[in-house]
Amino acid sequence: MPVGPGARPAAGEGGLGSNVSPREDSDGGGERPRPFQQESDSRAILVIPPGEPANPLRGSGTRPESRQQRAMEVLAGPPARKQSSALPAAAALPSDPQPTPPKPVQIAVLKARDLKTIKSDVSVTLVRAEYNGAILGDSSTTNVLPNGTASYNFTTSFDCSPDGRNSWDDIAHKPVLLTVIEVLQSEKRQKEKTMPLGQAVVDLLPLLQGQCSFKVSAPLYAVPTSPLESLQPEAKGGLEVTVCTEEPLLSASQLSNGNLLSVTLEAAYSAPEAFAPSGPLQNYMACLQVPAAGEKEVPLLFKNGILKPAGEKEPLPRPKKWPLANVMAPGALSIPNSFIVGGPYEDEDGELNKREDREFRIQAESTKRIVWDMERRCYLDPAAVAILQKRIAECRYWPVEVCRMPVASPSKGKTSKADKGDEDKQIFFHGVAYVNMVPLLCPGVKQIRGAFRVFTYQDSEVFEKTKSQHSVFRDLRSQLSLTKEGSWTPGISTPLSRAVPSKSQKEDKEKITKEKDSNRKTSSVPKIQLSDATVEAENVTYLSLDGQQYVEAGTFLVMEIKLDKALVPKRSREELTGRVKQMIPPRPPLPPRTAGAKKAVEGYHSHVTSIAVAILSEYHELFGKRLPDRGAIDHQTLEEQKRQLNFELNSSGKYFAFKEQLKYAVVKIVREKYLKTTAFETQEQFQAFLSELYVYLVDQMHVALNQLLSEEAASPAPLSRTTREQLWLFAREAEVNKDYKLASLYHQQRVAQDQRNIQCWLDYGAFCLLLEETTKAQECFQQALSLDPHHIQSLLLCGVGAVSLQHYEEAELFFEDACCLEPSNIVAWTLSGLFYELQNNNIQAEMAFREAKKLLQAQLAKERSIPEAAEGKKHISAVCVSSPSPGPEECLPERVADGSADKVPEAVEPALACAAPEEEATAPEAAPKAPASVSGVSRPPCTIFMKAVEFLMKVNAIQFVHMALAHELLSPPGGPSCAYYLALAQTSLLKEDFSKCEECLCEAVRIDYVNPNVWAQKGHLCYLKRDFGEAKECYERTISFVEDAADMHFVYLRLGSIYLEEKEYGRAKQTYLLACKNSASCLTWLGVGIACYRLDEMAEAEDALSEANALNNTNAEVWAYLALICLQGGRQLEAEQCYKYVVKLGLRNAALLRELRAAQQRFGFGDPAF
C-alpha cells in the first residue's frame, strides 16, 4: 500500500505482527503516490484496492483475478487464501440472505493549521485519507500560507455495513488515518518527490453513539525522518475534519440494546528472566476471544508488546494506544481523551490486590516488563450482548493467552519445510491469565480492572476453569510466523535470519532431550523408534517448561475490561427511594382530638367556674362585698342569704340558664368519660349510673371551685426526671433480668416521650426481635424509616425484618437502597452479600463482599496513615490488646444522628477485636510491635463480617449473626479470632445453651487471656449458672483491667449482688457506687441503700433509696427498705404508707417480706391492720 516513505502497512497486512517498509525509487527520487498504485521497490509490499480485505483475519478468502487487483504476498506470512478455518468470526460469510445495505461515511478534511511548527520551510502539501488498510484518496496539492495553514477542502467516503468489509466493529476500533504529505519541488522531466510530514487520526466512535455528524480538530503529530530521531509526543499542528452520515448507523433498537466493549491491555509485569531486550527479535502478544452473535467469536489480538528493562515506572496518567501498525508518527498512536490513570491496588477487581501484595506490585512495576498500553474496542449488537451475558453466567473465568513468537527474516523469499513444521507446532512461552468476568453481571458494574497472574497454558486446566476447548493462538498459529522486513519499529531490535528458538530455549530443550536419552539407556525396554505422539509429547513438555517460567517469575497482566453500558442495569437512587416511599408512606402525626374525656372534664370545669363567677357577682349585688366584723357570719344569716339568692336566681331565670349551660358539658362527660351512648337495659342500671355520675360531678365541681377560690395557683405537676437514655438503660436492665414486660413498658415510655425519635423506634424494634415478635419489630423499623427515608440503619433493619418474615423482594429493595444511598457503608454491603447468599445469588453476594472488603481496606489504610507519636502508638496498641471493643469512630458501622452520640454503653454488647495494624500481622520484618496478648497469638485485623456481627448483635438479628459468623470462621487466615468466639458465646447465652457458651469462652480465653470482655462474659455465664464463687472471680478480674469491658454496668450490678449475698456490705457499697457513677439507675441506688442499711448507715441508706424511688417508684423492694428505715426511726405514718405500696406492688422477695413483718411485730406499728 503506497503510504509514503517510512510507512508501515495496516494491522494484519502480511500476517500478524509483520512489518513492511516501502523503498525509495530506484533513481533516488520519488513520484507522488497515487491511490492503488505502487512505487518501484526492491521489496514486496501489499497493495489492496478498495473493497478488498486488508486484514487476513477478515478476508473473504478469495484470490484476486486481475493483476491490478492482485495483492503481492508478504514473504513473512501465508497468503490470504490459506487463512485458518478455525476463525469463524473472521471467515464466516454473512448468513443473512438480504444483507443490510451499506451506508456511506463521508470524511471532509477542511484545513490544516500550524504546519510551520513541524517544518518551517514547508510550502506545498496534500492530505491522504486511509481507513481499514485502504487508501480513500488524496487531496489536491495546496500551498501552505505563511501562518502555517493550508486549506484542503478534501472530501472522501467509504461504505460500512454490519457484515461488510467495514463493519460496526471496525468503526469501533479503527480510526481514519490522515497523512499530511509534503510535495517537494523537483526539476523538469523528473517525478515529484514526496515526504510524509505529519499524521492525525479521527476516532469514529461517535457514529456508534447515535451521532450523524461531528467535527473535530485532530492533533497532527510529526513523522520522524529517521528511525534514530526521537520526537516529543506533543502535537505540533492540527487538522479540522468533519465526519457525517446520511442517517444513523445504528437503529434505535441497536443503540439502546447494543453495547461497546473496550479491552485495555496495559502491561505484563515481572517478566521471565528468559526475556531479554537484546538478542533475537521477538513479538510479544496477547489474545482473548469475545463471543458474538451466533456461534462466532471475535479474537481481540494485542501485538508488538515492548519489552522494557528494569528502571523507572510507567508514568501515570498515560495515553492509551490504537491497535494499529501502519502509523508513521508515534504520537498518532495515542487515542484522544483516553488515558490509563491507574489507582490504588486495593480498589482493583483482579488478583494481587491485598495489602501483602503491595510491596511485590511496587517492585514489579520497576522491573523488566512488557508494555502494550493498547485499547481494543468491539461493538456488540443486541444478540451479542445477550450471548456475552450468558457466557459470563456459565463460566466466570475467561482465558487471556500470552506468548512470545520470534520474528524471522525471509530466506530467499521462502520458508523451509522444517521451519514451517516448527511454526505449526510450537508457540513459545505460551501462558494464560484467568480473568474473573462475574463482576460485570452485578447491577450497575461497567468496568473491571486489575492484575491477573499468568500461568502455564495447559489444555485440561484451561478447559476446567473456562470451558474453552481450544487455544486462540493455536488456531492462529499458521499466521503467527512473523517476518521482519527491515522497517524499524519501536521496541524491536535487530532481525533474525530465520525463526529459531533462542539460545536458552535450545539449552532447555537439549537438557530435556539428554535426560530422556539417559532414561531410555537405563530402561530395560528395547529401544524403538519414537512415534509422532512421543515427539508431540516432547514438544508439549518443552512448551510447558517455557510457560512455567511465568509462574516462577510471578508474571501478571494488568488489564481493563469496560462496557459502555452495564449488562445488568442498576436501579437509580430516585427509583429506589420512590419504591420505598410507596411501601412505607410517611405517616403525618395524628391531628389532636377535638373531643375526649380530658377535654370534656376541662369543659365542665370551665362551665362550673363561669357559673360560680356569675353567682358570686349576683351575691355581691344582693348583699355587697363587705363582710361583717371579723369576717364571720352566723348560721341563721347564712341560711337567709342562701334563701334570698335562690329566689332571685329562680325568679330571674338565671338558674335555668345555668342548668342548661351545664347540661351540654355533662352530656359530653357521659359520652367521652363513661362511653354511654345507648339506653340502659334496666332502671336499676340507670339509677346506679346516675349515682356514680352525681358523685363524680360533685367531686369535679369541688376541684373547679378550689382552683377558683385558691389564693395561689396550683403548682404544675413536676416534669419527669427520666430521660430517653435513662429509660433505655432501665429497659436493658429489665431485659437482662428477663423481666420483658417491664422492659416493654420502658420502651413504650421512650416512644411516647418523643414519637419522632428514630432511635427510640429502632430500639423498640430490636427488643421485639429479641422476643421473636418479628411482625411488631418490622412495624417499628418501618415507622423509623417513615420518619427519615434516607436513614441507613432503618433501611438495613427493615431489610433484616423482611428476611425474617420471608418478604425477600422487599428485603432486596431495602438493602439495595441502603447501598445506593451510602456506597461507603461497609455493613450495608456485607448485609447485602449475606442476603444474596441466602437467595443463592452467588454473583451478587461475591460482588457485595468484595466491595465491603475494598472499603474496609481503604478505611484501615486511612487509619494507619495518621501520624502518631511513639507513646501514642504504644498506648493505642495496649488498648487494642486489652479492650477489643470498638471505638465510636473506628469500628462502629454507623452513627445515628438522633441522640446516639450521648447514648449510654450497651449491655451485653459484642466485644469485637480491635483492628490491629495489618503490618504487624503480615510483615514480620517490620518495626517493633506493640506487646501482644499473653497467649502469644497476634490479633487478626477486623473483618467485614465481624463489623456486621457488631451491628447485628446490637439489634438482636440472630439469623444474620450466624450467617456472618459462618463466613468469619473461614475468613481469617489464622483461624477464628477471639471476637468470633465471644460473639458465638453471646448467641449461645441468649439461647441458654450454657455448655456451648462455655466452650466458646474457653477458646476466647485461650486466644486472648487479657480481654476484659471475655472475663465479663464468663462471669455472666457463671452467674446464670448460680456458680457465684466463679462469677465473683471473673467479675473482679474484669474490673481490675485498665480498660473497662463493654457491659461494665451489669458487671457492677451482679458483683454487688454477690457481695450482698456474701454479707460483704462494705465492698458491695463501693461496687454499687461505681455503678452509680458509671450509669445510675434505680437498681444501682437500691444496692447502695441496701448496703448502707445493713451497715446501719440509716441516713445514707434513706438518701440512696429516695434517689432510687425517684428514678422508679414502682419497685417494691425500694418501698420495703424505706419501710424498714421508717420503722427504725419510729415514723409510724410513713412506715404504714411505704408498707401500703409494698403490698400494692406485690413484693416478690419472700425473705425481705418476712423481715419487714417481723420488724413491724417488733416495733408494734407499720401495718394498718394492727
Side-chain angles (χ1 to χ4, degrees):
M1 182 176 64
V3 293
R8 291 188 293 274
E13 292 178 12
L16 299 176
S18 63
N19 297 284
V20 183
S21 294
R23 64 163 186 81
E24 298 180 358
D25 270 308
S26 58
D27 58 355
E31 183 182 2
R32 180 167 61 87
R34 294 183 175 86
F36 318 127
Q37 295 183 3
Q38 177 186 359
E39 301 178 15
S40 58
D41 197 334
S42 61
R43 290 184 293 272
I45 61 174
L46 183 62
V47 181
I48 301 177
E52 291 296 324
N55 191 336
L57 293 180
R58 294 190 174 276
S60 62
T62 59
R63 186 179 180 89
E65 298 299 331
S66 65
R67 179 172 181 177
Q68 183 178 1
Q69 296 178 341
R70 181 181 299 114
M72 299 179 66
E73 298 177 0
V74 178
L75 298 179
R81 65 179 182 272
K82 293 184 179 180
Q83 70 178 29
S84 173
S85 61
L87 294 177
L93 292 175
S95 58
D96 191 354
Q98 295 180 352
T100 305
K103 299 180 181 180
V105 177
Q106 182 175 327
I107 312 295
V109 183
L110 304 180
K111 66 178 181 178
R113 53 180 171 79
D114 298 331
L115 294 180
K116 296 286 187 180
T117 59
I118 300 177
K119 186 177 181 183
S120 59
D121 59 347
V122 61
S123 59
V124 181
T125 61
L126 60 86
V127 65
R128 171 174 297 165
E130 303 177 43
Y131 186 73
N132 198 9
I135 298 179
L136 303 180
D138 293 349
S139 71
S140 59
T141 57
T142 304
N143 294 326
V144 180
L145 300 179
N147 61 0
T149 62
S151 297
Y152 299 111
N153 295 321
F154 166 64
T155 302
T156 184
S157 65
F158 65 89
D159 294 337
C160 64
S161 63
D163 303 317
R165 179 175 179 271
N166 300 319
S167 64
W168 300 160
D169 184 56
D170 295 322
I171 298 292
H173 81 278
K174 292 181 181 179
V176 174
L177 180 62
L178 303 174
T179 306
V180 176
I181 301 175
E182 180 185 9
V183 181
L184 303 176
Q185 296 180 357
S186 60
E187 298 179 0
K188 296 181 179 180
R189 299 180 180 178
Q190 289 186 355
K191 297 180 180 179
E192 291 181 344
K193 295 182 180 180
T194 60
M195 178 69 67
L197 188 65
Q199 283 189 320
V201 292
V202 178
D203 192 357
L204 301 180
L205 186 61
L207 297 179
L208 296 180
Q209 296 173 339
Q211 298 187 28
C212 291
S213 64
F214 61 92
K215 182 178 181 179
V216 295
S217 180
L220 186 63
Y221 298 91
V223 175
T225 57
S226 68
L228 300 179
E229 181 182 1
S230 60
L231 296 176
Q232 296 297 327
E234 291 82 8
K236 294 186 177 181
L239 291 177
E240 292 186 8
V241 185
T242 60
V243 180
C244 63
T245 58
E246 295 179 356
E247 58 184 57
L249 296 185
L250 302 179
S251 64
S253 174
Q254 291 174 325
L255 192 62
S256 60
N257 299 325
N259 212 328
L260 185 70
L261 175 68
S262 301
V263 180
T264 302
L265 181 60
E266 298 180 16
Y269 293 101
S270 188
E273 292 295 331
F275 291 4
S278 61
L281 186 65
Q282 306 289 344
N283 194 323
Y284 301 94
M285 295 180 287
C287 187
L288 76 157
Q289 285 187 332
V290 177
E295 298 297 328
K296 299 187 296 182
E297 287 191 346
V298 178
L300 306 184
L301 188 64
F302 300 86
K303 302 181 299 180
N304 298 329
I306 301 174
L307 179 64
K308 293 188 177 181
E312 296 182 357
K313 295 183 179 181
E314 297 297 317
L316 288 174
R318 60 184 187 271
K320 298 180 181 179
K321 298 178 181 179
W322 293 104
L324 303 178
N326 61 335
V327 177
M328 295 176 286
L333 282 172
S334 301
I335 301 177
N337 302 320
S338 185
F339 298 92
I340 297 172
V341 296
Y345 303 134
E346 293 80 5
D347 294 344
E348 295 179 352
D349 301 293
E351 309 166 42
L352 301 173
N353 54 1
K354 304 294 189 301
R355 179 167 179 80
E356 54 267 23
D357 303 320
R358 180 179 180 84
E359 184 177 354
F360 169 69
R361 291 283 299 272
I362 294 175
Q363 293 178 355
E365 291 177 358
S366 302
T367 57
K368 185 164 49 178
R369 58 201 179 275
I370 304 168
V371 179
W372 285 274
D373 288 346
M374 192 177 296
E375 181 182 70
R376 173 64 162 86
R377 301 169 184 164
C378 179
Y379 171 73
L380 304 176
D381 57 18
V385 172
I387 294 176
L388 175 67
Q389 189 169 349
K390 179 182 177 182
R391 293 281 183 88
I392 296 177
E394 292 175 350
C395 185
R396 64 171 52 202
Y397 292 105
W398 282 28
V400 178
E401 301 180 41
V402 294
C403 74
R404 188 185 79 171
M405 293 297 295
V407 180
S409 296
S411 175
K412 297 181 181 180
K414 294 184 179 180
T415 306
S416 66
K417 183 177 181 180
D419 292 341
K420 288 184 178 179
D422 289 340
E423 291 167 2
D424 289 341
K425 291 181 180 180
Q426 296 183 4
I427 300 175
F428 299 110
F429 293 94
H430 196 186
V432 61
Y434 301 103
V435 179
N436 185 4
M437 302 283 284
V438 167
L440 292 179
L441 293 185
C442 299
V445 176
K446 298 187 292 185
Q447 172 184 340
I448 56 175
R449 179 186 180 274
F452 304 93
R453 297 180 184 272
V454 180
F455 301 93
T456 306
Y457 189 97
Q458 297 179 355
D459 292 330
S460 58
E461 182 179 356
V462 172
F463 178 75
E464 180 182 355
K465 288 189 174 183
T466 69
K467 302 298 184 291
S468 177
Q469 300 181 355
H470 56 273
S471 165
V472 182
F473 281 140
R474 289 175 187 165
D475 293 340
L476 299 175
R477 60 186 171 184
S478 62
Q479 303 184 31
L480 294 180
S481 306
L482 306 177
T483 304
K484 179 65 178 174
E485 289 282 341
S487 66
W488 58 275
T489 302
I492 298 181
S493 55
T494 58
L496 264 178
S497 60
R498 67 191 200 94
V500 293
S502 64
K503 182 178 179 181
S504 61
Q505 294 170 346
K506 286 184 176 181
E507 292 176 354
D508 293 337
K509 190 171 183 180
E510 290 174 359
K511 183 177 179 181
I512 295 174
T513 306
K514 289 180 181 179
E515 291 177 355
K516 292 186 176 182
D517 291 342
S518 175
N519 292 336
R520 292 192 189 100
K521 291 178 182 179
T522 56
S523 174
S524 60
V525 179
K527 186 175 181 180
I528 61 175
Q529 183 68 27
L530 293 177
S531 64
D532 293 339
T534 307
V535 175
E536 180 68 21
E538 291 184 6
N539 288 331
V540 171
T541 304
Y542 165 56
L543 296 178
S544 298
L545 181 65
D546 277 351
Q548 184 64 25
Q549 296 189 36
Y550 290 120
V551 180
E552 296 172 356
T555 306
F556 61 91
L557 296 177
V558 176
M559 60 187 305
E560 175 190 75
I561 300 177
K562 185 177 181 181
L563 290 165
D564 187 54
K565 293 177 289 189
L567 293 177
V568 181
K570 184 178 181 180
R571 287 180 284 201
S572 65
R573 176 174 176 176
E574 292 75 14
E575 179 186 357
L576 290 171
T577 304
R579 293 190 61 181
V580 170
K581 287 184 177 180
Q582 290 177 2
M583 293 172 53
I584 311 173
R587 301 173 184 174
L590 294 175
R593 295 183 60 186
T594 57
K598 183 178 180 181
K599 190 168 182 178
V601 174
E602 290 176 353
Y604 176 75
H605 287 173
S606 63
H607 283 89
V608 169
T609 303
S610 64
I611 293 173
V613 170
I615 295 175
L616 185 60
S617 299
E618 191 72 22
Y619 177 84
H620 288 162
E621 290 180 3
L622 291 176
F623 308 108
K625 295 184 178 181
R626 185 176 181 179
L627 295 175
D629 295 340
R630 301 180 182 177
I633 302 177
D634 59 282
H635 179 71
Q636 184 177 358
T637 303
L638 189 61
E639 287 293 328
E640 181 62 24
Q641 290 180 352
K642 180 179 178 182
R643 187 187 63 79
Q644 293 182 16
L645 180 61
N646 287 333
F647 176 78
E648 183 64 26
L649 293 175
N650 280 287
S651 61
S652 63
K654 293 181 180 179
Y655 179 81
F656 180 78
F658 293 154
K659 186 174 68 171
E660 289 296 322
Q661 187 178 352
L662 278 178
K663 180 179 179 180
Y664 181 72
V666 173
V667 170
K668 289 187 66 176
I669 288 179
V670 172
R671 291 178 178 177
E672 301 294 337
K673 175 74 176 175
Y674 292 95
L675 305 178
K676 298 295 184 180
T677 57
T678 58
F680 293 90
E681 295 179 357
T682 61
Q683 188 67 22
E684 289 77 8
Q685 292 180 354
F686 179 60
Q687 292 298 328
F689 173 72
L690 288 180
S691 300
E692 181 183 358
L693 177 62
Y694 177 78
V695 172
Y696 179 78
L697 292 176
V698 170
D699 290 342
Q700 293 301 317
M701 180 188 68
H702 291 160
V703 171
L705 293 176
N706 289 334
Q707 291 177 354
L708 174 64
L709 301 177
S710 175
E711 295 182 356
E712 297 180 0
S715 59
L719 298 176
S720 175
R721 297 180 58 187
T722 56
T723 62
R724 289 196 303 269
E725 288 72 23
Q726 287 176 320
L727 288 174
W728 178 85
L729 178 61
F730 301 162
R732 290 289 297 135
E733 288 178 339
E735 288 178 28
V736 173
N737 294 331
K738 307 292 185 182
D739 191 351
Y740 297 126
K741 184 177 180 180
L742 181 60
S744 178
L745 178 62
Y746 283 129
H747 280 297
Q748 292 171 6
Q749 289 181 7
R750 289 188 74 209
V751 171
Q753 278 190 6
D754 187 0
Q755 295 188 13
R756 301 196 61 82
N757 186 285
I758 295 177
Q759 194 60 41
C760 295
W761 287 105
L762 295 183
D763 292 338
Y764 192 18
F767 169 72
C768 294
L769 280 183
L770 178 66
L771 301 183
E772 297 183 355
E773 297 177 358
T774 310
T775 303
K776 194 173 183 179
Q778 184 71 347
E779 292 176 356
C780 294
F781 297 149
Q782 291 186 356
Q783 177 64 26
L785 188 60
S786 67
L787 297 174
D788 183 5
H790 296 165
H791 193 255
I792 302 301
Q793 194 175 17
S794 301
L795 280 169
L796 294 177
L797 291 179
C798 283
V800 170
V803 170
S804 301
L805 294 173
Q806 297 183 0
H807 299 165
Y808 297 118
E809 293 184 1
E810 294 182 7
E812 182 178 8
L813 183 64
F814 289 130
F815 288 130
E816 188 176 353
D817 193 17
C819 295
C820 182
L821 288 174
E822 193 171 328
S824 61
N825 193 298
I826 299 173
V827 176
W829 286 107
T830 307
L831 294 187
S832 297
L834 294 175
F835 165 74
Y836 286 124
E837 187 179 60
L838 186 66
Q839 295 293 296
N840 295 323
N841 191 341
N842 297 326
I843 294 177
Q844 292 277 70
E846 182 180 343
M847 187 276 286
F849 291 148
R850 184 173 64 251
E851 187 68 23
K853 292 176 182 178
K854 187 188 301 182
L855 292 172
L856 178 62
Q857 291 175 359
Q859 176 182 321
L860 296 178
K862 182 179 180 180
E863 293 173 2
R864 282 189 294 267
S865 64
I866 301 176
E868 296 174 339
E871 291 184 1
K873 288 183 178 179
K874 292 182 180 180
H875 173 70
I876 292 176
S877 300
V879 171
C880 286
V881 170
S882 60
S883 178
S885 58
E889 282 80 19
E890 288 81 4
C891 294
L892 280 181
E894 52 195 339
R895 301 294 301 270
V896 182
D898 301 297
S900 63
D902 53 356
K903 198 174 187 178
V904 293
E906 295 213 15
V908 200
E909 185 175 346
L912 300 185
C914 256
E918 201 164 331
E919 294 90 350
E920 298 179 5
T922 59
E925 70 278 5
K929 309 178 185 66
S933 59
V934 175
S935 61
V937 179
S938 61
R939 309 178 74 87
C942 189
T943 65
I944 61 172
F945 301 109
M946 291 312 300
K947 281 186 172 292
V949 167
E950 174 191 8
F951 170 77
L952 295 168
M953 286 295 295
K954 291 180 180 180
V955 298
N956 303 313
I958 305 302
Q959 178 185 3
F960 273 83
V961 168
H962 287 301
M963 295 168 61
L965 290 177
H967 277 278
E968 178 66 15
L969 183 63
L970 304 175
S971 178
S977 63
C978 175
Y980 165 82
Y981 286 112
L982 197 54
L984 191 59
Q986 290 174 332
T987 58
S988 302
L989 199 61
L990 288 176
K991 297 185 297 183
E992 297 184 354
D993 188 353
F994 295 150
S995 59
K996 178 67 174 178
C997 180
E998 187 173 4
E999 293 176 4
C1000 296
L1001 290 175
C1002 289
E1003 289 295 324
V1005 170
R1006 180 186 61 81
I1007 295 175
D1008 191 354
Y1009 193 76
V1010 295
N1011 191 329
N1013 291 280
V1014 176
W1015 290 104
Q1017 199 67 26
K1018 190 173 182 181
H1020 297 330
L1021 173 64
C1022 297
Y1023 186 88
L1024 295 177
K1025 292 170 63 178
R1026 306 195 65 80
D1027 186 358
F1028 297 125
E1030 184 68 21
K1032 176 183 174 182
E1033 293 181 3
C1034 294
Y1035 287 145
E1036 288 176 342
R1037 183 187 296 271
T1038 301
I1039 63 177
S1040 66
F1041 288 115
V1042 177
E1043 296 296 327
D1044 290 339
D1047 56 347
M1048 289 301 296
H1049 182 80
F1050 296 98
V1051 172
Y1052 288 137
L1053 282 180
R1054 287 175 169 174
L1055 180 59
S1057 67
I1058 294 174
Y1059 285 146
L1060 289 179
E1061 191 73 21
E1062 296 180 354
K1063 300 182 179 181
E1064 298 182 36
Y1065 302 123
R1067 302 182 70 178
K1069 176 183 176 181
Q1070 295 302 321
T1071 302
Y1072 279 118
L1073 284 174
L1074 287 175
C1076 292
K1077 182 179 179 181
N1078 185 39
S1079 50
S1081 69
C1082 174
L1083 296 183
T1084 58
W1085 284 116
L1086 174 61
V1088 175
I1090 294 174
C1092 292
Y1093 176 78
R1094 300 304 179 189
L1095 293 172
D1096 290 332
E1097 299 173 356
M1098 297 300 170
E1100 294 184 8
E1102 186 173 358
D1103 290 341
L1105 292 171
S1106 298
E1107 190 67 28
N1109 187 264
L1111 292 174
N1112 181 13
N1113 60 3
T1114 61
N1115 190 301
E1117 285 195 31
V1118 175
W1119 288 109
Y1121 279 102
L1122 283 174
L1124 288 173
I1125 291 175
C1126 292
L1127 289 173
Q1128 294 285 351
R1131 294 142 60 183
Q1132 179 177 353
L1133 182 61
E1134 295 176 65
E1136 291 179 356
Q1137 186 74 11
C1138 293
Y1139 179 70
K1140 181 180 71 173
Y1141 282 110
V1142 169
V1143 176
K1144 183 177 180 179
L1145 295 174
L1147 180 62
R1148 299 178 183 177
N1149 190 336
L1152 179 59
L1153 185 59
R1154 287 194 300 270
E1155 181 183 358
L1156 177 59
R1157 287 176 176 171
Q1160 291 172 344
Q1161 293 288 343
R1162 187 169 65 253
F1163 290 104
F1165 62 89
D1167 186 351
F1170 289 169

